[in-house]
Amino acid sequence: MPSTKVVDLAAHPLTAWRGPLGLPDFAHIGDGDFSPVFDAALKAHEAEIDAIATNQEVPTIENTLAALELGGEALDHVSSIFWCRAGAYTNETIQALERDISPKMSRHFSAISMNEKLFARIDDLYQRREALKLDPETLRVLEKTWKGFVRSGAKLDADGKIRLAKINEELSSLGTTFGQNVLADERDWALFLDEADLAGLPDFVKSSMAEAAEMRGRKGRYAVTLSRSIYEPFTTFSERRDLREIAYRAFTMRGQNGGASDNTTVVRDMLKLRAEKAKLLGYASFAALKLDDTMAKTPMAVHALLDPVWEKALEKAAADQKELERLAAKAGSNEKFAAWDWRFYQEKLRAEKFAFDEAELKPYLQLDRIIDACLDVATRLFGITFQEKKGIAAWHPDARVFVVKNADGSERGLFLADYFARPSKRSGAWMSALKSGYKLGHGSQPVIYNIMNFAKPPAGEPALLSVDEAKTLFHEFGHALHGMLTDVTWPSVSGTSVSRDFVELPSQLYEHWLTVPAVLEKHALHVKTGKPMPQALLDKMLATRTFGAGFATVEFTASALIDMAYHARPDAPEEPLRFEAETLEKLDMPGTIAMRHRTPHFGHVFAGEGYSAGYYSYMWSEVLDADAFAAFEETGDPFNPALAERLRKNIYAAGGSKDPEELYTAFRGKMPSPEAMMVKRGLV
């Protein structure tokens, strides 16, 4: 039932942002505020859409396309705060609202995309596009808008529109259920241990586990949780094989434990609905529908990238496993080598080959200093600066606020970051926007945020990161820069509004600067002595960059291939988990390596449509990022000013204003081949 509460959208803190620095006034936003404000904002947006659709004047860019782009500001505001809360700081009230709001939003946007009068006005502009003599960005926005309407059912008959709207609504609800089920499994499972159970664990793992136990009301004990920031180091260092097995099984069975949080039927229903949706819209498969607006274009092109990588990764992993089995036998193990042994013995092999223990690096990778490194690299490359503002309330006390300024001192926008894991936050790491940046109408400065899940240290102790966690921080900050540096007119092509297989380029490229020696020398300082990382340790770290490439590439590529297998077929499997197992068997998937994301917890693909038929895009973008960083290496200067300016202009600032191939070619002069990526991964 819609709320009967009268809401003044011009004054409510969810829609009229009058907090410090122009942020929402989070201190005056309660969980009970969302529902009535959503109802009022949806109604207001409906009225705006109706006014555009029924306008009797001849359609123009201003009265139709621009009006459509600028409409729904109140809905944008309440939505951005709500979805931030739903991901980063949820509770039962927010989750109940999420289940209610997701289908409402789906119905709302389906009605817009199927509004015949509105589409007629867009279609009129589209048919006259050449005569209108539009600038390239506006022409691109018009073409993308028209295609978006068609792909959303604007040309279907009445029955088709009704069915598609219903499918979208059901998919939205199922995606919400999927994500909440995974969060429930992650929140509700913990393995509580005592001091006697901690053999082999470095101090940083113990302190993270102690803090996790205290957060769960078990002060004095140690908790293994299903957060990667605890699970991965635990299974890397714990000498207790029995405990590694328990943690591994819990981690890989998220979403598949029976009961209320089991995702088996959720996945089955989603795949059926996606296949039906594709057929309704005239596509051979859901993958064909999703890939139509990407660089790859077809499932065949995706397989042309993934299949050769898969073969090389299998070879590398098989050779590595022999080495790991040798170490296990040498250590006296007579058990058959298993998946919960891989990380443990891989770390032993790293120590043997490189006289290197990842635990040696931790004291040099303090969270605050790696954040400083991220910001410093952005300043050196792009001239922007960051000033942290303390004491400003955000969605959670852990969230930090930074003012972003241009080289001339003018304000560019805001950056917020929330770094620590907690039971109320979904796992993983991501970037999003409270507001995007654009020039249309009165314009808008970007307000961008990053969410991480690093283990929180006990009070007074510094947070220490692994190399992978430091890379994750750089990765998500690369996405944030894509949002902050945007320099476009139209909201719909701002920042990360680019094709799915191009969006990971700015993030994955930014990771490269973490291991630039000059960056590590300045920021990788020992937590106790303050001294920089010794050259010998730095050399070892750089030498091991491709170590474990077989394992890492198999676990990632298996997930990408399963995603494509589900969605490239014209129908849906009746038993998705059996299909997963049969597909992996055909692929010769090693039994000793698990997919990075098994189906029941594959949030990228099933907690919404984000990366469905698109998980490959990380590797597609990796082909680009390996080649892009090589451009800097070729100059001998990782901060080459002329190249950095081309990078800013064509990649980070351009958003979706041009075709991605055109943008990349403007930066690099040509499109790359996968060879540089294979070399970077250590596969050739």
Side-chain angles (χ1 to χ4, degrees):
M1 286 286 293
S3 170
T4 55
K5 187 176 176 182
V6 176
V7 174
D8 181 0
L9 294 176
H12 198 283
L14 276 169
T15 47
W17 293 2
R18 293 172 185 156
L21 306 176
L23 283 168
D25 189 356
F26 284 100
H28 291 93
I29 294 171
D31 292 351
D33 292 334
F34 285 105
S35 190
V37 174
F38 260 112
D39 286 336
L42 285 164
K43 194 172 179 182
H45 193 211
E46 283 169 12
E48 289 173 324
I49 294 297
D50 187 59
I52 300 166
T54 58
N55 189 339
Q56 297 302 305
E57 296 174 9
V58 173
T60 64
I61 293 298
E62 290 72 25
N63 71 21
T64 302
L65 191 64
L68 181 62
E69 291 255 330
L70 293 172
E73 183 179 71
L75 185 58
D76 288 343
H77 281 189
V78 64
S79 296
S80 66
I81 299 171
F82 180 77
W83 296 116
C84 174
R85 279 289 312 275
Y89 192 33
T90 194
N91 56 39
E92 287 185 6
T93 302
I94 294 293
Q95 290 192 322
L97 278 168
E98 195 179 1
R99 293 190 292 272
D100 178 55
I101 287 165
S102 293
K104 266 187 193 174
M105 294 285 277
S106 176
R107 284 194 296 273
H108 176 73
F109 286 105
S110 285
I112 292 172
S113 61
M114 296 176 193
N115 185 315
E116 292 181 9
K117 290 180 179 177
L118 179 60
F119 179 63
R121 294 181 69 81
I122 296 291
D123 191 45
D124 178 277
L125 290 171
Y126 181 73
Q127 302 306 332
R128 294 189 286 122
R129 63 192 183 281
E130 290 183 14
L132 292 173
K133 299 201 167 13
L134 305 173
D135 65 86
E137 185 183 328
T138 303
L139 176 61
R140 182 166 171 82
V141 169
L142 176 58
E143 289 176 341
K144 284 175 71 71
T145 302
W146 184 86
K147 287 176 185 174
F149 269 80
V150 172
R151 284 160 49 86
S152 298
K155 290 193 168 186
L156 293 177
D157 61 21
D159 288 345
K161 285 179 179 174
I162 291 168
R163 181 58 192 149
L164 182 60
K166 184 65 177 167
I167 288 171
N168 287 337
E169 186 180 331
E170 289 182 36
L171 282 170
S172 179
S173 292
L174 288 166
T176 296
T177 299
F178 183 97
Q180 291 188 358
N181 286 346
V182 176
L183 179 61
D185 276 6
E186 291 173 343
R187 181 194 62 219
D188 296 345
W189 189 91
L191 177 62
F192 293 101
L193 304 177
D194 296 310
E195 188 75 41
D197 303 315
L198 307 183
L201 297 181
D203 288 343
F204 73 86
V205 183
K206 292 180 189 177
S207 64
S208 296
M209 289 169 60
E211 181 69 14
E214 187 170 344
M215 284 172 72
R216 287 160 177 78
R218 301 286 190 93
K219 188 172 183 179
R221 301 199 75 196
Y222 301 85
V224 182
T225 70
L226 300 182
S227 165
R228 281 191 189 272
S229 61
I230 287 180
Y231 166 77
E232 289 190 356
F234 179 79
T235 51
T236 297
F237 294 108
S238 174
E239 291 175 10
R240 287 284 300 278
R241 189 174 191 266
D242 57 332
L243 300 180
R244 297 201 308 267
E245 179 180 358
I246 291 169
Y248 169 85
R249 292 194 184 282
F251 192 78
T252 55
M253 290 298 286
R254 288 170 295 153
Q256 195 190 345
N257 291 304
S261 64
D262 193 283
N263 274 327
T264 306
T265 58
V266 178
V267 169
R268 181 199 66 197
D269 293 347
M270 289 184 84
L271 290 173
K272 283 184 176 178
L273 288 166
R274 285 173 176 175
E276 185 185 351
K277 177 177 178 174
K279 190 175 181 182
L280 197 56
L281 290 167
Y283 288 87
S285 66
F286 185 74
L289 167 63
K290 284 296 296 284
L291 293 170
D292 189 37
D293 191 31
T294 62
M295 296 179 79
K297 300 288 190 285
T298 67
M300 192 181 301
V302 173
H303 277 285
L305 170 67
L306 294 180
D307 292 351
V309 172
W310 179 248
E311 293 306 318
K312 285 188 165 53
L314 285 180
E315 290 172 17
K316 186 80 173 69
D320 288 348
Q321 184 170 324
K322 286 180 181 172
E323 288 279 85
L324 303 184
E325 287 171 339
R326 173 183 63 80
L327 284 179
K330 184 178 173 185
S333 172
N334 52 16
E335 304 276 359
K336 185 179 179 185
F337 189 84
W340 45 91
D341 295 319
W342 195 291
R343 290 182 190 279
F344 180 74
Y345 285 107
Q346 184 167 267
E347 188 61 24
K348 304 282 187 200
L349 183 62
R350 188 205 309 260
E352 180 183 274
K353 282 193 166 186
F354 300 98
F356 175 72
D357 177 350
E358 175 131 6
E360 286 182 74
L361 283 175
K362 278 267 188 172
Y364 294 95
L365 300 176
Q366 298 173 66
L367 172 60
D368 283 343
R369 292 198 181 277
I370 299 303
I371 294 168
D372 289 345
C374 263
L375 307 183
D376 185 27
V377 169
T379 301
R380 293 184 67 179
L381 284 171
F382 306 122
I384 58 174
T385 56
F386 300 81
Q387 182 181 5
E388 185 167 8
K389 298 289 186 180
K390 302 276 191 181
I392 293 176
W395 55 88
H396 186 275
D398 283 347
R400 298 165 63 172
V401 180
F402 299 81
V403 173
V404 187
K405 293 189 176 180
N406 294 308
D408 64 5
S410 60
E411 193 167 309
R412 174 149 213 102
L414 298 174
F415 171 63
L416 289 80
D418 182 355
Y419 292 110
F420 295 119
R422 52 182 171 265
S424 60
K425 184 192 281 189
R426 71 173 166 87
S427 62
W430 65 95
M431 163 270 184
S432 193
L434 291 178
K435 279 203 307 187
S436 54
Y438 55 84
K439 299 173 192 165
L440 192 69
H442 297 300
S444 170
Q445 286 192 336
V447 180
I448 307 298
Y449 64 89
N450 275 170
I451 306 288
M452 310 287 167
N453 269 285
F454 303 137
K456 192 170 188 176
E461 290 187 23
L464 303 178
L465 305 182
S466 67
V467 175
D468 281 348
E469 287 174 327
K471 281 183 181 174
T472 296
L473 196 148
F474 265 70
H475 177 102
E476 296 305 334
F477 191 74
H479 280 309
L481 284 173
H482 203 184
M484 289 186 279
L485 290 170
T486 192
D487 187 20
V488 300
T489 298
W490 291 85
S492 64
V493 292
S494 171
T496 56
S497 298
V498 298
S499 69
R500 182 61 69 188
D501 46 14
F502 191 69
V503 77
E504 296 299 334
L505 168 60
S507 54
Q508 291 178 185
L509 174 57
Y510 204 69
E511 290 178 37
H512 289 265
W513 275 275
L514 169 65
T515 51
V516 166
V519 173
L520 288 170
E521 286 162 14
K522 181 176 179 181
H523 297 285
L525 307 180
H526 195 279
V527 64
K528 290 181 180 172
T529 67
K531 291 182 178 177
M533 186 183 294
Q535 187 64 44
L537 184 57
L538 174 58
D539 290 344
K540 285 181 194 176
M541 188 190 86
L542 296 176
T544 65
R545 276 187 292 190
T546 62
F547 178 76
F551 174 84
T553 308
V554 164
E555 67 164 9
F556 168 82
T557 313
S559 294
L561 288 166
I562 289 291
D563 171 35
M564 200 50 57
Y566 278 138
H567 294 110
R569 50 186 285 167
D571 57 359
E574 275 299 324
E575 298 180 61
L577 297 183
R578 176 186 281 188
F579 179 77
E580 175 192 88
E582 290 171 350
T583 304
L584 291 175
E585 190 175 351
K586 287 176 190 168
L587 288 167
D588 295 322
M589 176 76 171
T592 51
I593 302 178
M595 295 165 62
R596 185 159 182 82
H597 306 283
R598 284 197 56 240
T599 298
H601 52 259
F602 202 168
H604 287 76
V605 169
F606 293 110
E609 288 199 357
Y611 282 83
S612 54
Y615 193 64
Y616 78 91
S617 58
Y618 288 94
M619 189 169 284
W620 190 278
S621 293
E622 194 177 343
V623 173
L624 301 176
D625 82 64
D627 178 67
F629 193 69
F632 283 89
E633 292 178 316
E634 287 160 13
T635 70
D637 178 6
F639 297 98
N640 182 284
L643 203 52
E645 175 53 24
R646 286 218 307 273
L647 181 65
R648 184 201 64 78
K649 180 181 175 184
N650 296 297
I651 305 298
Y652 285 92
S657 61
K658 294 179 181 175
D659 179 82
E661 286 197 20
E662 183 184 341
L663 290 173
Y664 190 82
T665 304
F667 163 66
R668 188 66 163 115
K670 59 178 175 51
M671 289 297 290
S673 77
E675 280 305 303
M677 180 271 291
M678 297 253 209
V679 171
K680 174 194 156 194
R681 277 192 171 246
L683 297 176
V684 292

